[in-house]
Amino acid sequence: MHRRSFVRLLAGTPFLRDFQMRSDIPTLRVVSGYPASAKPGMPGPYPGRVVSIRSDTCVDTSTGAANDEVVREMMARGMRTLTGAGTTADAWRRFFEPSDIVGIKVNCGGYPHCVSAYEIVADVVRQLMGIGVPVSHIYVYERFQDQMNEVNYAPHLPEGVQIVAAERANRNVDNSGYDPATYLEADFFGEDDTRSNMMRLVSRVLTKIVNIPNMKDHGATGVTGCLKNIAYGSFSNVARTHQRGKSHTYSVVGALAAMEPLRSRTVLQIMDGLRGVWHGGPFARTTRYVFYPRQIMFGTDPVAIDRLLLDIIEKERRARGAISIWDRSPGSLRMDDTRARDADPNVNIIIREPGHVEYASTLGLGVYDRARIVIKDVDVP
């Protein structure tokens, strides 16, 4: 099948059911020449299953520094508990084999206080190499090179790991890192460029992806978890979905995450909750809004993990006396006024769309119903 002949509108039964609930969903046109695998990576082999590994000693909350030894043990316990494997190596072999080319999708937007932890990223690389994946077949990736430069993973990783970004900075002027034949097309605000293209690395190079988001608030989506990290972090021109107080992230986050081959290749979700951000996200330019969940969550179902994240961020905001992430009151809106938002946790600059997590479940990406999510809690000393 020719790439450009494979065009489908997101207008199947799940979309129509949700459209009856929301009358403001834009028409989304998906173009991809990649068929779904027989067993897509999302929601993967463990739908509705989440393993949460906690440790009071994993982070020094006075300095923000992580304890590498404790994090390694949390990672090992998490993978074994998720898979039921007898050894950590066997747990990783459930997802990867030596012939794979593996991408590690990090989150650098919360620099300097809340990014995908060096310790977690390094352990993922270590475990992949341990089961025979060549170091040259491991890619740590993000959209923007300037953010990758700030975080600077290289000194923490073995020589030979590929560190890749799609474009120099968030200016939408360099499209060479994106696949022109794989995109979502929609007109949100009458913008000139109506396409969001998948990264070439994702569509043409990688065979498997590990997604490592943070536990963060987000001014447009409510939270930025597994779904938003893998979706908005793998496509061009996505900031156009939220502006002028309005957010189309409700439908677009899930639509992008469901696109092939991203959906089938994203096989493992490791949510970094060593540190978190309860307001002002996805950034963390100050420690004022940083908190310490001191946990790592494991699964293959991004919806289930993000459903729990909604509760985590909401609980923290309530404890701090801030408005709910579900607040849609015009009185809280200071349109596009980031200074006001950063100064006051009771200010929204856009009406948030935390419902994007439930919407993604209607696209088959995972389990949203809290009663159907099975959580295994494990404490590590």
Side-chain angles (χ1 to χ4, degrees):
M1 178 180 293
H2 193 279
R3 289 180 185 271
R4 295 190 182 277
S5 69
F6 186 84
V7 180
R8 65 181 173 89
L9 294 177
L10 288 181
T13 301
F15 179 82
L16 291 178
R17 181 169 73 87
D18 198 75
F19 185 81
Q20 294 170 4
M21 298 162 49
R22 293 283 298 263
S23 61
D24 58 345
I25 296 178
T27 299
L28 307 176
R29 188 169 76 100
V30 171
V31 176
S32 173
Y34 296 90
S37 65
K39 296 181 179 179
M42 296 186 287
Y46 306 110
R49 178 173 171 81
V50 179
V51 173
S52 176
I53 309 295
R54 302 172 184 270
S55 174
D56 289 339
T57 62
C58 66
V59 176
D60 183 339
T61 58
S62 65
T63 64
N67 184 316
D68 183 61
E69 183 178 352
V70 174
V71 171
R72 288 194 195 194
E73 179 61 20
M74 294 171 73
M75 292 286 291
R77 293 284 293 277
M79 291 297 293
R80 294 198 303 267
T81 304
L82 176 65
T83 61
T87 68
T88 303
D90 283 343
W92 284 90
R93 290 188 185 101
R94 299 285 177 90
F95 300 100
F96 306 98
E97 52 192 50
S99 60
D100 277 320
I101 302 173
V102 183
I104 302 171
K105 174 61 183 74
V106 293
N107 189 299
C108 296
Y111 180 83
H113 301 297
C114 187
V115 301
S116 301
Y118 301 115
E119 295 81 7
I120 292 176
V121 176
D123 194 64
V124 171
V125 172
R126 185 181 304 113
Q127 297 301 332
L128 290 170
M129 293 175 63
I131 62 170
V133 178
V135 66
S136 60
H137 285 189
I138 301 173
Y139 290 74
V140 174
Y141 83 92
E142 179 64 290
R143 279 186 63 202
F144 306 124
Q145 188 63 54
D146 60 341
Q147 292 184 355
M148 292 287 270
N149 291 344
E150 286 181 330
V151 178
N152 194 19
Y153 283 105
H156 305 270
L157 302 175
E159 185 176 353
V161 173
Q162 312 291 315
I163 300 177
V164 177
E167 52 187 305
R168 292 186 295 275
N170 190 9
R171 300 190 182 96
N172 195 32
V173 295
D174 176 16
N175 290 317
S176 62
Y178 298 100
D179 186 341
T182 308
Y183 58 88
L184 179 143
E185 186 165 21
D187 184 343
F188 301 117
F189 297 97
E191 60 269 22
D192 292 333
D193 184 356
T194 58
R195 292 183 180 180
S196 292
N197 295 75
M198 189 179 293
M199 285 182 64
R200 288 178 185 268
L201 176 72
V202 173
S203 65
R204 302 188 183 187
V205 178
L206 304 178
T207 63
K208 301 280 180 62
I209 298 171
V210 183
N211 187 21
I212 309 181
N214 297 107
M215 291 185 175
K216 293 195 295 186
D217 156 274
H218 192 278
T221 58
V223 298
T224 180
C226 296
L227 288 162
K228 184 172 181 297
N229 189 57
I230 199 63
Y232 275 45
S234 299
F235 285 83
S236 69
N237 196 27
V238 289
R240 66 193 174 98
T241 64
H242 44 286
Q243 54 182 285
R244 308 173 199 170
K246 170 69 177 177
S247 174
H248 288 292
T249 57
Y250 177 79
S251 58
V252 177
V253 171
L256 292 175
M259 277 186 62
E260 295 295 349
L262 180 65
R263 178 183 180 179
S264 288
R265 294 177 183 174
T266 306
V267 299
L268 182 61
Q269 314 284 337
I270 302 177
M271 176 165 281
D272 174 2
L274 302 182
R275 312 164 186 86
V277 176
W278 62 269
H279 181 70
F283 308 109
R285 300 187 180 103
T286 171
T287 58
R288 177 181 177 185
Y289 301 124
V290 173
F291 72 115
Y292 296 95
R294 290 179 289 188
Q295 63 176 296
I296 307 174
M297 293 198 293
F298 299 79
T300 60
D301 180 339
V303 174
I305 295 177
D306 282 2
R307 173 64 184 86
L308 302 182
L309 177 63
L310 291 172
D311 289 346
I312 291 169
I313 298 300
E314 181 73 356
K315 179 180 179 181
E316 191 67 22
R317 289 182 64 85
R318 288 183 180 274
R320 308 278 186 158
I323 59 173
S324 170
I325 57 174
W326 299 91
D327 182 273
R328 303 183 69 84
S329 168
S332 68
L333 184 63
R334 298 277 295 276
M335 192 180 301
D336 298 334
D337 189 342
T338 56
R339 288 190 178 184
R341 185 273 315 276
D342 291 348
D344 185 353
N346 289 302
V347 167
N348 283 327
I349 60 172
I350 297 171
I351 297 299
R352 299 166 184 248
E353 296 291 358
H356 77 273
V357 180
E358 183 174 16
Y359 180 85
S361 73
T362 71
L363 302 179
L365 287 168
V367 177
Y368 181 81
D369 183 354
R370 183 64 178 77
R372 295 174 53 219
I373 299 174
V374 178
I375 308 168
K376 176 64 175 179
D377 291 307
V378 178
D379 290 324
V380 170

